């Protein structure tokens, strides 16, 4: 990712942080609308799950400018997700739900350049998680 793309992702996420609970609810609404079968993977309080999602996103977004330091934690997250039943094909569904959520939350500010930056950030991080998930089951 270029420094400009990282800045786009980080600055746009900062604008969403005050609305974290709503952002998480919109994300899960998009996710479950696209793939209702994934709902069964989530147990317990969805507000708590939303807090966890936003915390992980916050750490990931903040770490984009130091990927070598961030990727080991992302890979470990991918390995843990195997235990939750997450398959590599789920990551595309999650990415689509994330981009739709960002579009909803950012409105006109979610320009094509910003979409591309977020898509690249997600692809980078999800790619590391998928790679680790393959290693975990091998």
């Amino acid at each position: 990712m270029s420094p400009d793309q990282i800045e786009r992702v980080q600055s746009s996420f900062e604008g969403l942080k005050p609305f974290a609970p709503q952002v998480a609810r919109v994300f899960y609404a998009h996710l479950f609308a696209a793939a209702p079968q994934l709902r069964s993977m989530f147990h317990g309080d969805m507000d708590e799950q939303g807090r966890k999602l936003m915390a992980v996103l916050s750490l990931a977004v903040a770490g984009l400018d130091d990927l070598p330091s961030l990727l080991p934690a992302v890979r470990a997250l991918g390995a843990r997700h195997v235990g939750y039943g997450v398959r590599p094909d789920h990551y595309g569904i999650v990415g689509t739900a994330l981009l739709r959520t960002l579009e909803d939350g950012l409105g006109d500010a979610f320009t094509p350049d910003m979409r591309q930056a977020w898509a690249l950030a997600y692809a980078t991080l999800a790619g590391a998680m998928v790679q680790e998930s393959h290693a975990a089951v091998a």
Side-chain angles (χ1 to χ4, degrees):
M1 293 184 70
S2 74
D4 185 55
Q5 288 172 318
I6 292 169
E7 157 51 28
R8 280 191 183 115
V9 170
Q10 290 175 335
S11 65
S12 62
F13 190 73
E14 281 301 314
L16 294 175
K17 277 184 176 180
F19 310 101
Q22 297 92 328
V23 171
R25 281 193 288 278
V26 170
F27 169 78
Y28 285 113
H30 283 305
L31 181 66
F32 299 146
Q37 71 277 13
L38 297 183
R39 180 66 180 92
S40 65
M41 293 179 150
F42 295 86
H43 309 285
D45 182 6
M46 285 306 293
D47 287 337
E48 178 61 25
Q49 181 64 40
R51 283 188 287 279
K52 290 177 183 177
L53 168 72
M54 295 306 290
V56 166
L57 278 175
S58 186
L59 289 172
V61 166
L64 287 174
D65 43 12
D66 187 9
L67 281 175
S69 295
L70 176 64
L71 288 179
V74 170
R75 288 185 187 108
L77 185 63
R80 283 195 310 275
H81 276 74
V82 170
Y84 305 141
V86 175
R87 298 187 322 254
D89 61 299
H90 292 152
Y91 287 92
I93 300 165
V94 169
T96 299
L98 176 63
L99 292 176
R100 287 185 179 151
T101 301
L102 293 165
E103 185 173 18
D104 288 349
L106 297 169
D108 291 341
F110 197 60
T111 64
D113 285 342
M114 189 176 296
R115 174 183 285 278
Q116 182 180 24
W118 270 100
L120 182 55
Y122 180 77
T124 300
L125 300 175
M129 290 177 75
V130 168
Q131 181 181 27
E132 191 62 29
S133 70
H134 283 296
V137 295

